[in-house]
Amino acid sequence: MKNVLYVPLDDRPVNLDDVILLGKSAGLNLITPNEQDIRNRIDSEKTVSEDQITSTSSPTYGNTANIRQFIWNNAGIVEGFIISIDMLAYGGLIGGRRLRTNGGGTYPHYDSSTTHLLEVIRQIKQMYPNKPVYVLDTIMRLATTAFADGLLFTAYSESRNFMGQPRQPFTASTTFNDILYGYDLSSDGTPYGNTSTFNKDHYYFARQHKFKSNCYVLDQLARCGYIDFLAIGVDDANTEGVQINEIRFAERYITTFLGGIDGQNPNRAIILPDADGLGHSLVARMANQLYRCGAKTRYRVRYYGPHGSTIINPYEYMDVHENMMRHIDVIGGQCVAHAPDVEILAITAADEASDAVSEVTTNAANCLATAVIDFTGGGVGNAEVTEALLGNPYTGRVLGYSAWNTAGNKIGIALGMAQARYAYLVSETQPWALSTAVNAHGSLLFKRFLKDYYYKALAIVEIRQYAREHCIYTNVASMADQNMLLFNSASDYIHLQQMLRNQMQAHMATLSAKNAFLIGCAATSYDVRQISGNTWTLAGYISACLDYKNPDFIWGRAFEITLSPSISLC
């Protein structure tokens, strides 16, 4: 296996466990920091008055100094680097949006401690100029983090609405400082009013500091050639608000200084709506670079339902089709109309799922690699779409699939899976390596259905209901599932864990028996072990297991769980 250094956005499974498994499916051994150094958690302490929560405190963020040292210590033993700026500079995604009492000094000398951390990227590239350095950064989202540093869900709601209001329009003459000091100006130039649940000035300071870091990465590192590829994800966005001018500035910079066209350069830097899918996407780009020297994989997109150009996700500023095109750029592919290497089936209407499934069958018969994305269920798998896919014995052969969270997340996860896997399937020839990789891919594909549908659409409903009904504080009962460690009793939390584990064991058995996998059944479904020209070698699904204690609420909330099924094929 090829060693790749990977500093994740945070330690949630979508950014860590799943990406590590994705690497294994493509013959990459991702070397990651010590788990304590990337640990992120929302508030773990509370103060109460009778039956009400009055405040929360004590979140956990990553150890930035240790992350920097980790990169330096391991630079010599890896073949490439994938580094999250949020983790390196701020201790993770939620650390990057912590409220601040100042926005730092004048750019580029705005914060010597932050720039010292960022400069490790320059240093490793100077030391190892032939090793690819890929970086993921994020534009700070609109909302604060609920239940982190004492900010309650009311602050999340108010901040997202307040910061999503129109600001002064971006023009050709808009400067960096215009953005930094114009966050509070409405479209007509007048200041907005006060906020009641969070300090807006401290919020603006946080934005200033983060945006200075965004610019430092573009201007001091990417422009100077110390970053081979930069993916800038816009986290939880909107079509207007305080983010838009930051986005337009970054696009202008990419066009002016990084050789881009209309704000994008597939060879150097892309900005798009996504955050939690970027780890998948950059691992895919790395696999393609290390195995195929960056040869462009050809992708064709087919929509089943409304065309993606007509759809804008509520948490994004770019329509689905453009987002798809930008993700293809990030993974190192190109979009084509004919003769694709991989076909993307984008399901945007549930009543057209059967047609998409028919295409899965046709593509399998023709040995055409396929990725499937379900856009119909919001942030979860749609029942009609999922059942149609799982009823097809050829679904177990798709290279990528996702229905999880925002449109950008779904695209990044599914295309990351497909590109990483394709690069390996057409390159590797060693039987033992192919066997290890197909087990990893089968496990990741199985997990996507188990999590995106069976947990996010089914099990979570009962988890949330129980957490809310048994909340021990009257003023947070409707949101108890967002911090069950604090808002439920210790005994109820144990009960919630047992509910989760019992349900996932039951769903595990149900999913195993579906036609897509047919594990433990007389018939056999298959995954793709190797691609050699127009010929596929297959591996049959034979067993599945899930350690009873593995499913858990990693951040003490219902939204995200650890879930690591292990699938064996032969």
Side-chain angles (χ1 to χ4, degrees), residues 11-215:
D11 65 340
R12 285 173 297 142
V14 68
N15 295 315
L16 185 62
D17 298 354
D18 297 358
V19 181
I20 291 172
L21 191 58
L22 172 63
K24 291 179 180 178
S25 78
L28 302 181
N29 175 40
L30 299 190
I31 297 175
T32 57
N34 182 288
E35 62 180 19
Q36 291 303 313
D37 291 334
I38 56 174
R39 182 180 173 88
N40 275 216
R41 296 292 183 272
I42 54 178
D43 285 342
S44 59
E45 302 291 337
K46 60 188 174 184
T47 57
V48 302
S49 176
E50 297 180 346
D51 63 350
Q52 295 200 340
I53 288 278
T54 57
S55 66
T56 63
S57 61
S58 301
T60 300
Y61 303 108
N63 187 319
T64 56
N66 287 1
I67 297 298
R68 184 187 186 281
Q69 191 62 44
F70 160 80
I71 295 171
W72 191 247
N73 289 348
N74 290 279
I77 65 170
V78 300
E79 297 185 47
F81 304 84
I82 302 172
I83 299 171
S84 162
I85 294 299
D86 290 82
M87 180 58 73
L88 173 60
Y90 297 100
L93 182 63
I94 60 175
R97 53 181 182 250
R98 296 180 73 180
L99 302 192
R100 290 176 169 267
T101 56
N102 69 79
T106 302
Y107 177 85
H109 308 293
Y110 64 103
D111 186 334
S112 59
S113 61
T114 300
T115 56
H116 171 70
L117 294 165
L118 295 176
E119 279 298 307
V120 73
I121 295 173
R122 183 193 305 266
Q123 293 160 6
I124 60 171
K125 190 60 179 177
Q126 289 174 331
M127 184 71 71
Y128 303 101
N130 296 322
K131 296 182 180 183
V133 175
Y134 298 162
V135 166
L136 57 143
D137 196 7
T138 66
I139 299 290
M140 181 176 153
R141 79 176 188 182
L142 299 173
T144 58
T145 305
F147 307 114
D149 285 313
L151 294 170
L152 301 181
F153 189 75
T154 50
Y156 168 91
S157 300
E158 184 184 15
S159 60
R160 177 163 177 80
N161 178 68
F162 189 90
M163 298 305 167
Q165 299 303 309
R167 263 54 180 185
Q168 294 224 285
F170 187 83
T171 67
S173 61
T174 298
T175 68
F176 184 62
N177 283 339
D178 288 338
I179 297 171
L180 289 176
Y181 301 106
Y183 287 132
D184 200 44
L185 299 180
S186 65
S187 55
D188 64 6
T190 58
Y192 279 100
N194 293 325
T195 52
S196 59
T197 59
F198 70 102
N199 186 314
K200 74 171 184 179
D201 291 329
H202 290 181
Y203 174 97
Y204 291 142
F205 289 146
R207 285 212 82 89
Q208 288 176 349
H209 196 280
K210 186 66 171 73
F211 190 48
K212 290 172 185 177
S213 292
N214 294 143
C215 192

